[in-house]
Amino acid sequence: MNKIEYCVFIGRFQPFHLGHLRIIKEALKISNKLIIVIGSSLSSKSIKNPWTSSIRQEMISSSLSKEDLNRISFVMSRDYFYNDNLWLTEIQQKISNITNPVPLWFSFVFRVWVFAMSCSRAPAVTRSKERLSPASWSPRAIKEAILS
């Protein structure tokens, strides 16, 4: 199987657990590089957000080998309450900064490999050959693509 160039794994990782680790290992099997987006990066410590983004990055990094870490880039993303377009624009820009000169619509574009995790089951990897062009990157289109 030919590896795709990039995979993106977006999560809060509050806390980082074995399900997350399994998804990361699967992503590294199918791609040359992995971008891990750590969400809620500016949230204050609370019961819902007990760890800072830097501690969450350390949790993830300490679970991986140096070889794996050489293929991983970390990106921090803040919350934009009630404004999915701002959140999406930030994610697109940060991913683009890492993937250049690869075009923004690189091979997987949220649709070729969608990683989904269920609380009641082991993580699942879903594959779709359909591409989602940048012009259709609306929050609704992405949510529909993930749920389909």
Side-chain angles (χ1 to χ4, degrees), residues 8-10 17 19-20 22-24 26-27 110 113-127 143 145-148:
V8 175
F9 184 26
I10 302 172
H17 54 73
H20 294 130
R22 182 174 172 194
I23 291 171
I24 289 170
E26 288 298 316
F110 291 107
W113 293 94
V114 175
F115 291 92
M117 196 166 58
S118 166
C119 295
S120 62
R121 293 186 295 232
V125 177
T126 306
R127 183 176 183 186
K143 288 174 189 171
I146 290 170
L147 296 173
S148 65

Side-chain angles (χ1 to χ4, degrees), residues 84-100:
D84 292 342
N85 288 327
L86 275 177
W87 177 83
L88 180 60
T89 300
E90 178 186 21
I91 298 293
Q92 288 173 335
Q93 182 61 51
K94 288 184 176 188
I95 291 172
S96 177
N97 291 343
I98 293 170
T99 60
N100 279 337

Side-chain angles (χ1 to χ4, degrees), residues 2-140:
N2 289 335
K3 286 190 173 187
I4 57 176
E5 190 60 28
Y6 287 93
C7 274
V8 175
F9 184 26
I10 302 172
R12 289 180 54 243
F13 309 103
Q14 294 268 14
F16 180 72
H17 54 73
L18 293 175
H20 294 130
L21 181 60
R22 182 174 172 194
I23 291 171
I24 289 170
K25 294 288 187 181
E26 288 298 316
L28 290 170
K29 285 181 189 175
I30 63 168
S31 66
N32 293 322
K33 297 174 187 165
L34 172 63
I35 301 169
I36 297 176
V37 181
I38 298 177
S40 302
S41 65
L42 298 179
S43 297
S44 301
K45 283 181 90 173
S46 66
I47 292 174
K48 186 177 178 185
N49 295 302
W51 294 285
T52 64
S53 56
S54 60
I55 290 173
R56 291 180 274 157
Q57 182 175 341
E58 280 182 46
M59 289 179 190
I60 297 167
S61 297
S62 66
S63 302
L64 299 166
S65 69
K66 287 184 181 180
E67 294 80 23
D68 287 345
L69 287 172
N70 287 335
R71 297 173 49 209
I72 294 175
S73 298
F74 289 94
V75 171
M76 304 302 165
S77 173
R78 58 166 287 187
D79 293 327
Y80 289 94
F81 296 107
Y82 310 109
N83 196 331
D84 292 342
N85 288 327
L86 275 177
W87 177 83
L88 180 60
T89 300
E90 178 186 21
I91 298 293
Q92 288 173 335
Q93 182 61 51
K94 288 184 176 188
I95 291 172
S96 177
N97 291 343
I98 293 170
T99 60
N100 279 337
V102 177
L104 189 57
W105 52 276
F106 42 90
S107 62
F108 75 97
V109 187
F110 291 107
R111 193 68 177 130
V112 173
W113 293 94
V114 175
F115 291 92
M117 196 166 58
S118 166
C119 295
S120 62
R121 293 186 295 232
V125 177
T126 306
R127 183 176 183 186
S128 172
K129 294 181 188 229
E130 193 176 320
R131 286 191 180 186
L132 190 62
S133 70
S136 64
W137 279 16
S138 71
R140 173 171 280 189

